[in-house]
């Protein structure tokens, strides 16, 4: 993975057909997805349960782009090795998930993955100031994590701008996750985001039999985001 700030659309397979992940992943990539976002939930850090390492390993051969694994679990450290072995390119952990985020991020890099740190909507940017030099990505949650299809929390746009300032010249991606649509994408891109996670806005109306709808949905988000870059 080489670093750049081009806009990347990362569909969340939380909104895919759970009986057909391989075909869904192939369909979104064929339709223009830049990364594939995998939401791991533990029913404890967030009130929902999704995939463990064996499921993520099963997705891996279908992902030709970048497998972006978002861990909404606590604790994190006992599972890093397993998600790295499952083939994650990026592993993102929440700063709220435990007392030792610095150790967690070091462990993610030591396992051979890019390290991301995520902030819940109620967590201030200061919480990551002391780890900004050891991360490859900052994920700003624009909904409270746990479910797809929630409404975008407007106050997070300002947070994205603060993260952008903190990042400065560092090669650190700024990703936003939750309620991203062609309406909200331009706001976060104007504030400095480069990676846009979208679940419902990518999958809505489409299916593996009608993948061109995924393509149109991805294009609509990308075009709105790129227009915001041009200003
Ligand atoms: C929320 C997840 C998101 C979610 C986004 O806990 O981290 O990735 O799938 O879904 P939408 O785009 O529908 O808000
Ligand atoms: Zn996510």
């Amino acid at each position: 993975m080489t670093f750049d700030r081009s806009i990347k659309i990362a569909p969340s397979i939380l909104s895919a057909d759970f009986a057909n992940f391989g075909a869904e992943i192939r369909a979104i990539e064929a339709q223009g997805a830049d990364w594939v976002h995998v939401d791991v939930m533990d029913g404890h850090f967030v009130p929902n349960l999704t995939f463990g390492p064996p499921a993520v390993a099963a997705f891996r051969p279908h992902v030709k782009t970048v497998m972006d694994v978002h861990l909404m679990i606590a604790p994190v450290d006992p599972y890093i090795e397993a998600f790295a072995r499952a083939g994650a390119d990026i592993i993102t952990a929440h700063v709220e998930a435990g007392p030792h985020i610095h150790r967690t991020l070091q462990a993610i890099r030591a396992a051979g993955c890019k390290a991301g740190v995520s902030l819940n909507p109620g967590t201030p940017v200061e919480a990551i100031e002391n780890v900004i030099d050891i991360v490859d990505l900052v994920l700003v949650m624009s909904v409270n994590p746990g479910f797809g299809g929630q409404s975008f929390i407007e106050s997070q746009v300002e947070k994205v701008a603060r993260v952008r300032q903190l990042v400065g010249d560092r090669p650190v991606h700024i990703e936003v996750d939750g309620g991203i649509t062609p309406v909200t994408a331009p706001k976060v891109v104007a504030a400095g985001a480069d990676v846009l996670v979208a679940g419902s806005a990518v999958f809505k109306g489409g299916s593996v039999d009608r993948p061109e709808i995924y393509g149109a949905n991805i294009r609509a988000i990308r075009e709105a985001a790129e227009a915001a870059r041009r200003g």
Side-chain angles (χ1 to χ4, degrees):
M1 273 178 77
T2 56
F3 180 84
D4 68 55
R5 282 203 185 286
S6 64
I7 288 162
K8 289 161 280 292
I9 311 295
S12 164
I13 58 169
L14 189 60
S15 293
D17 174 0
F18 271 43
N20 209 4
F21 281 118
E24 291 276 38
I25 290 168
R26 293 194 302 275
I28 53 174
E29 288 195 340
Q31 294 295 325
D34 299 289
W35 293 6
V36 175
H37 186 82
V38 179
D39 285 309
V40 175
M41 304 185 184
D42 68 350
H44 163 75
F45 180 70
V46 291
N48 196 2
L49 276 170
T50 57
F51 332 109
V56 175
F59 305 154
R60 179 69 260 185
H62 301 282
V63 178
K64 304 291 182 239
T65 56
V66 170
M67 191 159 70
D68 176 31
V69 177
H70 176 193
L71 298 182
M72 287 162 275
I73 66 174
V76 179
D77 296 10
Y79 302 100
I80 291 171
E81 233 353 279
F83 283 106
R85 264 188 275 113
D89 294 299
I90 304 168
I91 296 179
T92 296
H94 271 260
V95 69
E96 306 86 359
H100 301 299
I101 188 65
H102 190 284
R103 175 185 294 152
T104 298
L105 294 166
Q106 284 183 317
I108 293 171
R109 281 188 166 177
C113 298
K114 300 278 186 194
V117 65
S118 184
L119 296 161
N120 279 335
T123 304
V125 175
E126 289 70 43
I128 58 166
E129 268 175 17
N130 289 293
V131 293
I132 196 67
D133 285 314
I134 59 164
V135 298
D136 303 290
L137 177 148
V138 176
L139 170 54
V140 176
M141 289 306 301
S142 42
V143 298
N144 287 297
F147 304 94
Q150 304 182 80
S151 311
F152 182 80
I153 302 172
E154 295 285 341
S155 59
Q156 302 309 296
V157 175
E158 171 66 26
K159 188 191 283 180
V160 172
R162 286 171 195 232
V163 171
R164 182 70 193 86
Q165 256 183 348
L166 174 65
V167 164
D169 295 333
R170 296 174 179 88
V172 173
H173 293 292
I174 301 175
E175 180 174 49
V176 183
D177 184 359
I180 294 296
T181 66
V183 174
T184 57
K187 302 180 191 186
V188 298
V189 166
D194 62 299
V195 187
L196 304 174
V197 177
S200 37
V202 166
F203 286 91
K204 76 162 190 288
S207 68
V208 293
D209 301 319
R210 298 189 65 197
E212 65 284 354
I213 310 273
Y214 296 160
N217 291 341
I218 290 170
R219 243 176 348 265
I221 299 168
R222 192 190 304 283
E223 279 166 16
E226 278 170 358
R229 274 277 172 88
R230 290 192 296 272

